[in-house]
Amino acid sequence: MLDGVLERIIDASAGAVAGGLANPARPPVADQGWPNGLLDSPVVEAAVTGATSPPPGGAWTLLRHRILHDIGIGDAARVRRVRWLGLLAAAGIVCGAVLLANATEEAPTITFTDLATMPDVELSIVRHGALR
Amino acid sequence: MELLRDPDADLVAACRRPESESFESAFEQLFSQYRERVYAIAFRVVGNAVDALDVVQESFALVFRKLHSFRGGSLFSTWLFRIVVNCSIDHRRKRDAAWGPMSTSDTAQDVVDESPTPGDCAETKEVGDQVQAAISQLSPKLRAILALRYLEDMSYEELAATLGLSLGTVKSRLARAHLALESVVRTRFPHLDSSTAAPDSVGGVG
């Protein structure tokens, strides 16, 4: 508590003369004459960039879902996906129906008649002559 | 003065339209790009993995909820890190108010790393715990400025922009943080001094 108060006083007075009294690390003029040792420390760098505990496996996936849920996007995305799947299913049904309709051929009409000569039409099977 | 274009501008623009098809991809890219850096900063401020993950969640949720109010006056990353620092400090204060300040042993126990640890890993973990214990001696504000300075390699101007402080306050706070942490390291954890705690030897996140 007291540390926090002192910290706020020091921060607030960083640009004032009184700040120098409260903060022994602060030189008389705020932006000039800072010894590099006070602003860059290899000991501190080694400590700060040292080992941190990595998050447990799968944490990012779970976190991603939670964030999306927090901001109300998770449900909307699910609705959008369901909507798209519905549209795709409907399109598939329509395409299938069209293909099925095109694939259905009319039943051929069979006409029996006597032919004296070969008819001038394309037939897959022509039977020419008297029926047996 | 030439203004630099924010490298995240397109992703941010896409994330402003949650109803658009590009939202999820943009969200995924921003989240993947920054999550480990956000986690590393939060970890250094709150002191353990569980709380750090809570801070990551709070920070990203807040960022995406408030994205419409981000005017691009700074880089997106600057804005994000400012929110992360504020969330981390708030989180730490709330927890300390509810449960009291975290002790060194609590810090070590709360670290979530249940994977098998061979001898060298155990040693690394022990060093990591001690580093975190040393950092935990500082106030959240001092921890935050150190994390941004060394994990994000921010300049004094970037620190000022991210923390919303004057350059003088940044330098003052940074100097106090150095003095305090150096004092803790040298008196309580002398083996963590630069000769034995080089970053390459202990690994790290972010």
Side-chain angles (χ1 to χ4, degrees):
Chain A
M1 174 77 175
L2 286 177
D3 287 347
V5 173
L6 179 62
E7 194 165 284
R8 279 197 293 277
I9 292 172
I10 292 172
D11 282 347
S13 59
V17 178
L21 300 175
N23 176 15
R26 180 187 172 278
V29 181
D31 291 348
Q32 296 174 6
W34 284 90
N36 286 339
L38 283 181
L39 295 178
D40 291 295
S41 161
V43 176
V44 172
E45 180 173 11
V48 175
T49 59
T52 59
S53 179
W60 295 132
T61 307
L62 184 62
L63 211 56
R64 180 184 173 283
H65 285 299
R66 284 182 178 171
I67 293 166
L68 285 172
H69 183 263
D70 277 0
I71 58 179
I73 299 299
D75 295 338
R78 201 177 306 121
V79 167
R80 199 164 54 229
R81 267 197 297 275
V82 168
R83 193 186 301 156
W84 270 112
L85 284 175
L87 280 174
L88 282 175
I93 290 170
V94 170
C95 287
V98 169
L99 287 176
L100 203 62
N102 287 343
T104 306
E105 294 176 0
E106 289 181 9
T109 305
I110 302 175
T111 305
F112 293 93
T113 182
D114 291 333
L115 297 174
T117 57
M118 187 70 134
D120 188 19
V121 292
E122 287 186 12
L123 296 170
S124 56
I125 301 172
V126 174
R127 183 179 178 85
H128 184 241
L131 290 171
R132 280 183 280 181
Chain B
M1 186 178 75
E2 185 185 353
L3 290 176
L4 291 177
R5 179 178 159 74
D6 189 340
D8 297 319
D10 293 339
L11 294 175
V12 170
C15 283
R16 280 198 171 111
R17 300 185 303 275
E19 73 286 355
S20 72
E21 291 304 315
S22 59
F23 172 85
E24 280 189 66
S25 163
F27 170 86
E28 190 66 47
Q29 284 187 61
L30 281 178
F31 181 62
S32 302
Q33 188 176 330
Y34 286 108
R35 64 190 185 189
E36 291 185 359
R37 293 159 71 184
V38 166
Y39 172 82
I41 293 169
F43 185 92
R44 282 302 179 222
V45 177
V46 298
N48 67 80
V50 174
D51 284 338
L53 286 172
D54 282 347
V55 169
V56 174
Q57 181 181 340
E58 285 172 27
S59 303
F60 273 105
L62 193 58
V63 160
F64 286 101
R65 271 201 298 266
K66 300 277 183 190
L67 206 53
H68 63 275
S69 67
F70 174 60
R71 303 291 175 206
S74 65
L75 294 178
F76 170 75
S77 57
T78 302
W79 186 64
L80 169 66
F81 291 140
R82 187 173 192 168
I83 287 175
V84 172
V85 167
N86 289 338
C87 282
S88 301
I89 292 174
D90 281 352
H91 196 90
R92 177 80 190 208
R93 280 186 183 145
K94 281 179 194 164
R95 195 195 55 201
D96 286 351
W99 302 99
M102 183 183 277
S103 70
T104 301
S105 57
D106 291 337
T107 306
Q109 279 178 347
D110 276 1
V111 171
V112 176
D113 186 4
E114 294 171 352
S115 56
T117 53
D120 54 341
C121 288
E123 190 180 339
T124 300
K125 185 174 183 297
E126 189 181 342
V127 171
D129 290 348
Q130 290 177 350
V131 165
Q132 191 56 45
I135 293 172
S136 292
Q137 307 291 313
L138 308 181
S139 74
K141 283 182 179 176
L142 297 189
R143 274 179 262 152
I145 200 168
L146 290 179
L148 293 175
R149 172 70 178 153
Y150 292 111
L151 294 177
E152 287 301 315
D153 203 21
M154 284 190 181
S155 67
Y156 307 129
E157 290 77 11
E158 288 168 333
L159 286 171
T162 303
L163 296 172
L165 301 171
S166 71
L167 205 55
T169 303
V170 163
K171 291 181 177 180
S172 163
R173 193 177 284 186
L174 198 53
R176 274 188 290 130
H178 281 157
L179 288 178
L181 189 54
E182 280 194 10
S183 168
V184 171
V185 167
R186 286 188 168 134
T187 55
R188 293 190 54 188
F189 308 100
H191 55 292
L192 296 180
D193 208 335
S194 56
S195 57
T196 55
D200 289 345
S201 66
V202 291
V205 171

